[in-house]
Amino acid sequence: MPGLGASFGRGAATSFQEDMQNADCILIMGSNMAEAHPVGFRFPMMARERGAKLIHVDPHFSRTSAMCQQYVKIRTGTDIAFLGGLIHYILLHEKWFKDYVLAYTNAATIIGDEYKDAEELGGIFSGFNEEKRAYDSQGTWHYASEQRGSDRTQADHHMKAESFTERTGSLENPVPDRDPTLQHPNCVLNILKEHYRRYTPETVASICGCSEKDFLRVAQTLCDNSGRDRTSCIVYAVGWTQHSIGVQIIRAATIIQLLLGNVGRPGGGIMAMRGHASIQGSTDVPTLYDLLPGYLMQPSALRDHNTLESYLNQEQPKTGFMANVPKFMVSLLKAWYGDAATRENEFGFRWVPRADDNYSHLACMVRMLEGKIKGMFLFGQNPAAGAPNGKLNRAALKKLDWMVVRDWFEIDTAAFWYKGPENPDPATIGTEVFFVPAAASAEKDGTFTNTQRLLQWHDKAIDPPEDCRSDTWFVYELGKRLKKLYAASTRERDEGLLHLTWDYEFEQPEVLPDGSVSRIEGEPDAQKILMEINGYTVGDHRQVRDFNSLRDDGTTACGCWIYSGVFPEEGDNRSRSRKRTPGVYTSPEWGFAWPLNRRMMYNRASADPEGRPWSERKKYMWWNAEEKRWTGPDVPDFEPTKAPDYRPDPEAKGMAAIAGDAPFIMKPDGRGWLFAPMGVKDGPLPTHYEPIDSPIPNLLYPEQRANPTVERYDVPLNSYSGLTAEYPIIATNYRLTEHYLSGPMSRFDSWLNELQPGMFIEISPELADAKGIEHGGWMVAWNSRGAIEARAMVTRRIQPLTVNGSTVHQIGMPFHWAFSGETVGAIANDLTSISADPNVSMHEAKSFAVDVRAGRLEGAQDIAPLPAAPWPTREQVPETPKSAQPEGQSI
């Protein structure tokens, strides 16, 4: 999540869900937490019981909205306009926490004279290359005291992840030029004021479709509940990430939290709610093409990464904690290649593949459509229905020679060759599909890493039935067979595979909790894998205590440095810990939170520059002068014995260059970044752009409607609507509690299908009247990419908006249905496009343009079942109970 990383230094949730009960205000945007994360939502409810204000800003009135005191309707895709308005309000009314901001952010840092803001250039920032549709961020966004220049080629722009030095900042001077008086016109705070000066309440209301009154109530509530004695939390989920400006939406939230002094403090921070149990884990130990474990950069064929030395020269910041990159990288190589990794062969660095283009999921599906990909392994995904532009994905799958699908059920992607809206003829499809049955979570050992960076171990409760096997077993067996197949190879390209350490067998037969012995042959020992991930000393194979023990000389091995400490000695698997600690902010003995079991990151900021708590009410970590160390209920996210008055030598490197009053140790200057001189590809400050598919012009920048750096794929089956009256209705999608993702598990469950039996589209009574659509009747939604039919849910939960003086209609639809399972229905993703945020290639599925009509598709079958019970008439649809209505709203 570069939006968090560029501002704070790490791309993960700053705190933990239990801490939300300590918030004085919680702003939920881009999330329907009550339905999508109902277990975690109990903590905002506890905060409300203690007097906290809960605010929900969302296009769709949901169960989350009903539990908040304030609800504001908003046009999907306009979040930056709303958040930018909050930034403007904070600055205009002097609501920012001055002592915190001046000490802990780059507000006073001076930006170079070459920088020109989007306000000056009509919606784009300086450094933009129109032909390449890319910024050279290091050219004009730099600090005034820094040298400029970049060796990045244009081809490298297509790599989603920048180098560490580009992503976090390679400041030659960790104490850049600053103006604490804030008089310099190019200091960050003044640039911020100028950039957001037009984000007035009137402008916000005009763009977003909310009322000025509702916006101002949110701004005042958030500011009233932030500062020295009060803190507010922001919660988001995929409602923010799945936009062409998703990273910048999150960046806008980080600016608000830094200005209000809410980062690193109890009841504050930003909770990035992840989509399922181990999404965080799948980015920590990544399934991403451009990252190595622990967010180290994948070597690139497009930069000078020919040797380990040249790689480290570019990936190692001079100052801050990430100056330790050599220790983490060499230890990773030793974990992978064992004794074969020596100083003489650069620890096997040349065996690591170099990425030469964008190989994200969306880009690969387009390549597949073009016939450039021959085979595919599919674990836990369902692109035939769950990926944007499902029609294109299904067409791409037909171009494969083979595909292996591992899942619990025959999901839509496994059945695309004989099922689906296109009524395919199996005889015309050459793709050979291998369906391999997978074990369920209760049928395998391992860890989950949840939304708050928490590793929790789960034991296998029962063996999987028949031929079902765990993903670990499948990958381990595949690796063993590949190593055997290539054993006689003398090709240099195969050396990495042949030298790969691959020894995770059980030392003795596995004993199940009931005392019986497992019958699964070849199942690897998941604890052995976790022990390697934790790290060990090579000489004696003893577990290292944590990542502070890692070395760059080949004497330590570690599979993922951020997890180091989870298994500090044999027999001590800390992810198994289940001790609760009542009465304090944290539960440090429940599982293991990376890094180093810290529950709240950047917690040095919970104390003032002298190390004293900002207030007794919000006391968390502080400097104990007698013991000469940081203390409190958490692990300090700082050097434990570094005094607040420590000042570095001008020539200091690494952590020695970070002052005792600089809490953001992952940044090279130790400060949170309001202005990001690097780390994001589409601007140093968030600015409002319309979605690619939007019938609305950009009211702030008429000449620059959409994100100028957005990833477009102008290929057959993937047209874009753009600014057109042909599709005047704005659509968004969302999930329901009773179903999961695109439905691969939940649509095969009779109980869940009884609770939510069919696909529907929510529309307002006004739109229904205008289009002659009846509640419970059939309706069609379509655009240039496809058409779907579903039952109409006519409801006040979706309301018309007044945008720039005109009425704009929105509709909403769940994305859980497709053509396999006990219940089937229209695929919402057949209407979305493959377009993406330029930073992480995340698709824009939360905002797209359509038109609607009453009736059914021509030749339609009864693919969407009638509900088990008759739908209520429009007159019978209940209004929101008065007790649940947000203050000042009529829903």
Side-chain angles (χ1 to χ4, degrees):
M1 289 179 281
L4 295 172
S7 298
F8 305 143
R10 302 183 183 99
T14 68
S15 192
F16 53 106
Q17 293 175 82
E18 294 93 328
D19 182 60
M20 286 190 283
Q21 66 188 288
N22 302 306
D24 298 293
C25 175
I26 302 176
L27 171 62
I28 304 171
M29 285 184 73
S31 166
N32 179 6
M33 191 178 179
E35 295 193 70
H37 301 90
V39 176
F41 191 66
R42 72 186 187 272
F43 298 110
M45 296 306 300
M46 293 167 67
R48 195 185 74 166
E49 292 173 1
R50 296 174 180 178
K53 297 291 185 182
L54 271 56
I55 305 168
H56 194 213
V57 179
D58 200 88
H60 172 236
F61 186 91
S62 64
R63 289 167 174 161
T64 300
S65 316
M67 302 312 296
C68 295
Q69 298 100 324
Q70 296 179 33
Y71 166 70
V72 181
K73 62 183 179 182
I74 188 177
R75 178 165 63 93
T76 182
T78 63
D79 303 77
I80 287 180
F82 193 94
L83 297 169
L86 294 177
I87 295 169
H88 171 73
Y89 181 93
I90 293 166
L91 295 172
L92 179 68
H93 296 279
E94 299 286 326
K95 297 292 186 179
W96 50 289
F97 188 176
K98 293 180 178 59
D99 291 342
Y100 182 104
V101 171
L102 289 174
Y104 295 160
T105 79
N106 64 354
T109 304
I110 300 171
I111 304 302
D113 292 336
E114 296 93 336
Y115 171 74
K116 302 297 179 188
D117 194 77
E119 284 296 294
E120 300 177 67
L121 302 179
I124 61 173
F125 297 90
S126 55
F128 184 69
N129 186 306
E130 186 72 37
E131 181 183 354
K132 299 174 180 178
R133 293 196 299 111
Y135 287 104
D136 177 8
S137 63
Q138 291 192 342
T140 65
W141 304 351
H142 54 82
Y143 288 172
S145 56
E146 290 306 307
Q147 296 294 319
R148 280 81 72 191
S150 171
D151 67 347
R152 292 172 57 206
T153 64
Q154 169 55 20
D156 199 32
H157 170 70
H158 299 292
M159 293 282 291
K160 290 302 100 186
E162 297 171 296
S163 68
F164 247 111
T165 55
E166 291 168 323
R167 195 156 55 85
T168 62
S170 179
L171 299 183
E172 297 297 328
N173 175 13
V175 188
D177 292 346
R178 305 176 76 236
D179 176 16
T181 69
L182 304 178
Q183 299 303 304
H184 196 289
N186 265 28
C187 76
V188 164
L189 197 75
N190 289 330
I191 289 176
L192 210 64
K193 288 179 178 179
E194 178 63 19
H195 182 78
Y196 291 107
R197 65 181 172 82
R198 289 199 294 147
Y199 289 69
T200 63
E202 297 82 3
T203 301
V204 171
S206 184
I207 293 173
C208 299
C210 60
S211 72
E212 292 181 43
K213 178 182 177 182
D214 287 344
F215 167 77
L216 287 169
R217 287 183 65 236
V218 172
Q220 183 175 346
T221 302
L222 196 61
C223 291
D224 287 349
N225 288 284
S226 302
R228 187 175 292 273
D229 202 48
R230 304 181 74 79
T231 51
S232 294
C233 176
I234 293 180
V235 179
Y236 78 87
V238 294
W240 271 4
T241 59
Q242 291 180 357
H243 289 280
S244 59
I245 51 172
V247 165
Q248 293 286 9
I249 297 175
I250 299 163
R251 266 277 295 146
T254 68
I255 292 172
I256 290 170
Q257 291 298 71
L258 285 172
L259 287 174
L260 295 176
N262 285 324
V263 183
R265 303 180 62 205
I270 297 178
M271 282 305 307
M273 304 304 296
R274 308 309 296 261
H276 64 70
S278 204
I279 277 286
Q280 183 68 56
S282 68
T283 52
D284 298 339
V285 184
T287 53
L288 304 171
Y289 78 97
D290 54 357
L291 289 177
L292 300 176
Y295 302 94
L296 301 175
M297 297 289 95
Q298 181 80 27
S300 169
L302 306 172
R303 290 196 287 269
D304 181 15
H305 285 171
N306 295 321
T307 66
L308 178 61
E309 181 182 10
S310 61
Y311 171 89
L312 294 176
N313 283 340
Q314 295 173 67
E315 303 305 318
Q316 179 189 11
K318 301 294 188 297
T319 62
F321 188 79
M322 289 314 296
N324 290 303
V325 162
K327 299 176 182 179
F328 305 151
M329 185 64 183
V330 171
S331 295
L332 174 65
L333 293 171
K334 287 295 294 183
W336 281 359
Y337 303 126
D339 293 340
T342 65
R343 187 182 296 277
E344 289 69 30
N345 64 15
E346 298 184 300
F347 302 104
F349 178 73
R350 62 186 174 85
W351 300 329
V352 181
R354 270 64 168 162
D356 61 1
D357 209 333
N358 178 359
Y359 294 99
S360 64
H361 173 77
L362 299 181
C364 282
M365 296 310 294
V366 172
R367 279 194 186 86
M368 194 182 298
L369 182 69
E370 296 169 342
K372 298 176 181 177
I373 294 179
K374 299 302 181 184
M376 184 181 191
F377 285 95
L378 201 66
F379 293 77
Q381 290 196 71
N382 189 26
N389 197 337
K391 186 177 181 180
L392 183 149
N393 280 269
R394 294 190 295 276
L397 293 171
K398 297 176 184 178
K399 301 294 184 71
L400 292 172
D401 291 345
W402 57 267
M403 177 173 64
V404 176
V405 180
R406 286 186 43 77
D407 220 298
W408 298 1
F409 307 102
E410 189 190 42
I411 61 174
D412 310 281
T413 302
F416 82 94
W417 56 278
Y418 73 95
K419 287 183 180 180
E422 294 81 19
N423 297 312
D425 177 3
T428 66
I429 298 174
T431 310
E432 186 173 10
V433 179
F434 300 87
F435 181 74
V436 183
S441 56
E443 298 164 348
K444 55 189 177 183
D445 295 324
T447 61
F448 290 124
T449 307
N450 73 2
T451 196
Q452 62 205 51
R453 303 166 280 102
L454 187 67
L455 281 77
Q456 297 175 94
W457 185 271
H458 61 92
D459 287 301
K460 178 173 65 176
I462 190 173
D463 273 335
E466 301 177 3
D467 290 334
C468 297
R469 294 293 185 271
S470 70
D471 293 334
T472 314
W473 179 93
F474 182 86
V475 173
Y476 188 50
E477 284 295 318
L478 180 64
K480 288 198 293 187
R481 297 180 193 196
L482 286 173
K483 285 171 73 68
K484 182 177 180 181
L485 181 65
Y486 284 83
S489 173
T490 58
R491 293 182 301 184
E492 184 178 1
R493 58 181 283 183
D494 298 331
E495 289 184 28
L497 172 65
L498 296 178
H499 290 307
L500 191 66
T501 59
W502 211 244
D503 48 357
Y504 307 113
E505 282 85 0
F506 279 94
E507 298 295 334
Q508 53 192 5
E510 181 188 12
V511 179
L512 298 178
D514 63 0
S516 62
V517 176
S518 172
R519 64 175 178 83
I520 301 297
E521 293 185 7
E523 183 72 29
D525 186 345
Q527 285 207 139
K528 274 191 176 181
I529 300 172
L530 187 61
M531 290 173 74
E532 179 182 284
I533 287 172
N534 174 90
Y536 56 88
T537 51
V538 172
D540 55 12
H541 221 84
R542 294 175 65 88
Q543 297 296 102
V544 297
R545 294 299 301 172
D546 54 54
F547 51 68
N548 292 307
S549 302
L550 299 180
R551 299 290 179 263
D552 62 2
D553 57 4
T555 59
T556 58
C558 177
C560 181
W561 73 271
I562 62 173
Y563 282 14
S564 188
V566 67
F567 219 128
E569 57 186 358
E570 191 167 352
D572 185 14
N573 181 352
R574 299 178 74 183
S575 66
R576 285 186 177 276
S577 177
R578 292 297 182 269
K579 297 178 183 177
R580 293 190 65 94
T581 309
V584 298
Y585 289 121
T586 61
S587 299
E589 298 303 322
W590 187 284
F592 177 87
W594 73 261
L596 214 62
N597 210 27
R598 294 180 184 121
R599 305 301 157 128
M600 186 182 299
M601 294 196 293
Y602 323 113
N603 56 40
R604 162 64 180 90
S606 66
D608 68 15
E610 286 72 38
R612 302 166 304 200
W614 289 108
S615 70
E616 280 299 310
R617 184 172 183 265
K618 292 294 178 176
K619 186 176 183 179
Y620 192 70
M621 303 297 291
W622 62 93
W623 176 252
N624 187 318
E626 292 183 2
E627 298 182 4
K628 298 188 183 307
R629 64 183 305 110
W630 291 93
T631 189
D634 203 351
V635 176
D637 193 9
F638 205 63
E639 290 178 287
T641 59
K642 178 177 281 186
D645 60 0
Y646 169 79
R647 296 296 177 268
D649 182 275
E651 302 301 318
K653 304 297 183 184
M655 279 300 292
I658 300 299
D661 60 353
F664 295 90
I665 61 173
M666 304 298 287
K667 307 303 289 183
D669 55 355
R671 291 185 168 87
W673 284 2
L674 299 166
F675 179 100
M678 54 198 72
V680 280
K681 293 180 179 288
D682 46 357
L685 292 172
T687 197
H688 168 67
Y689 297 118
E690 288 290 323
I692 284 188
D693 270 13
S694 172
I696 311 296
N698 190 332
L699 301 179
L700 275 175
Y701 308 111
E703 61 272 38
Q704 186 56 57
R705 194 180 68 85
N707 187 338
T709 63
V710 68
E711 279 185 24
R712 295 174 59 101
Y713 294 91
D714 295 298
V715 297
L717 303 179
N718 194 52
S719 59
Y720 299 105
S721 297
L723 184 62
T724 175
E726 189 175 358
Y727 306 110
I729 297 167
I730 299 167
T732 190
N733 58 35
Y734 42 79
R735 70 162 293 183
L736 308 168
T737 302
E738 295 82 4
H739 281 284
Y740 191 65
L741 303 179
S742 59
M745 293 184 287
S746 58
R747 277 188 282 113
F748 293 83
D749 187 306
S750 300
W751 292 356
L752 295 175
N753 287 324
E754 184 177 356
L755 293 170
Q756 287 285 4
M759 173 68 174
F760 58 87
I761 298 176
E762 290 197 60
I763 65 172
S764 68
E766 292 84 353
L767 181 58
D769 290 339
K771 296 287 188 176
I773 296 172
E774 296 183 357
H775 177 68
W778 288 99
M779 65 175 289
V780 174
W782 79 94
N783 59 22
S784 61
R785 293 175 293 274
I788 65 172
E789 64 175 12
R791 298 287 182 171
M793 171 78 78
V794 182
T795 171
R796 299 297 301 170
R797 293 180 295 203
I798 294 280
Q799 292 190 345
L801 302 169
T802 301
V803 177
N804 198 27
S806 300
T807 299
V808 173
H809 291 285
Q810 291 191 128
I811 64 173
M813 57 188 77
F815 50 77
H816 304 302
W817 276 273
F819 46 85
S820 290
E822 293 181 354
T823 62
V824 295
I827 301 171
N829 270 316
D830 279 4
L831 302 179
T832 58
S833 71
I834 294 184
S835 58
D837 172 287
N839 299 282
V840 291
S841 290
M842 177 58 76
H843 55 269
E844 188 165 59
K846 291 302 179 186
S847 184
F848 49 101
V850 300
D851 202 356
V852 300
R853 64 170 172 83
R856 305 193 66 182
L857 294 172
E858 184 177 351
Q861 305 295 316
D862 281 323
I863 62 168
L866 284 167
W871 283 43
T873 65
R874 279 181 53 180
E875 289 72 24
Q876 292 172 327
V877 175
E879 293 287 334
T880 303
K882 294 292 183 182
S883 61
Q885 285 186 6
E887 300 166 9
Q889 294 291 321
S890 176
I891 299 299

